[in-house]
Amino acid sequence: MSNSDQQVAIWTPGWYELDQTLVLGQRQKFWFFDSVPDSTVRSNGDETKLVFFNKSDTSENCVARFARIDEMHHAQLGAILRVDTEGLDYIFFPVEGEEVIVNAEEEPGRAYDFGQPISDWSIHVKLSDVSQPIVDYV
């Protein structure tokens, strides 16, 4: 697969179990913002055309697409294998190093037992085999 077959998406947590779990190599249906709200950070400039939807946006401003996750990268944690968003804590699994447990309820974004503060938990996600929006997703 060539790089031109890939699309870059941004995943920015809304916390409170409002986000989609991400797993490297996973191909499944994901939800993306149809039109990205002004409040959503698009830190990768024009390269980022897709932004993962989270339920902090109470509108129905989303579309479903099938896609495969080829690569995930966090600015401070590096390459990521998985982000588990189930429960009151999110768990980030970097390729190198130990898992990072992050509060998602009382103090959203505060990492437990992690030596450095992280203010931006956004992850850049390289996707392949991205479908057109799925119309019949109800």
Side-chain angles (χ1 to χ4, degrees):
M1 167 184 11
S2 72
N3 286 341
S4 64
D5 295 335
Q6 291 183 322
Q7 293 188 44
V8 177
I10 187 104
W11 178 93
T12 301
W15 308 112
Y16 306 99
E17 290 186 285
L18 300 175
D19 304 289
Q20 300 168 78
T21 291
L22 303 177
V23 179
L24 189 66
Q26 179 181 41
R27 180 168 179 12
Q28 72 172 58
K29 181 171 49 177
F30 294 103
W31 296 91
F32 298 93
F33 281 102
D34 190 23
S35 60
V36 181
D38 292 337
S39 62
T40 301
V41 176
R42 294 184 74 170
S43 60
N44 206 21
D46 292 337
E47 184 183 356
T48 303
K49 295 188 178 15
L50 296 172
V51 176
F52 284 91
F53 180 79
N54 66 48
K55 296 178 197 164
S56 63
D57 182 326
T58 57
S59 70
E60 294 183 19
N61 175 22
C62 60
V63 294
R65 296 173 184 261
F66 281 96
R68 179 180 340 288
I69 296 177
D70 292 335
E71 188 178 316
M72 294 186 284
H73 187 269
H74 181 270
Q76 288 176 262
L77 300 176
I80 301 290
L81 293 171
R82 177 182 174 91
V83 179
D84 184 351
T85 62
E86 300 296 320
L88 302 179
D89 295 323
Y90 285 11
I91 305 173
F92 291 70
F93 295 88
V95 170
E96 294 183 19
E98 298 200 16
E99 64 190 38
V100 178
I101 301 172
V102 182
N103 185 285
E105 186 73 23
E106 294 174 357
E107 297 179 73
R110 186 178 69 79
Y112 301 107
D113 300 322
F114 192 68
Q116 57 184 325
I118 296 179
S119 60
D120 184 0
W121 287 99
S122 297
I123 295 178
H124 290 87
V125 182
K126 285 189 181 176
L127 302 170
S128 64
D129 199 17
V130 179
S131 75
Q132 293 297 316
I134 300 165
V135 176
D136 186 20
Y137 58 80
V138 179

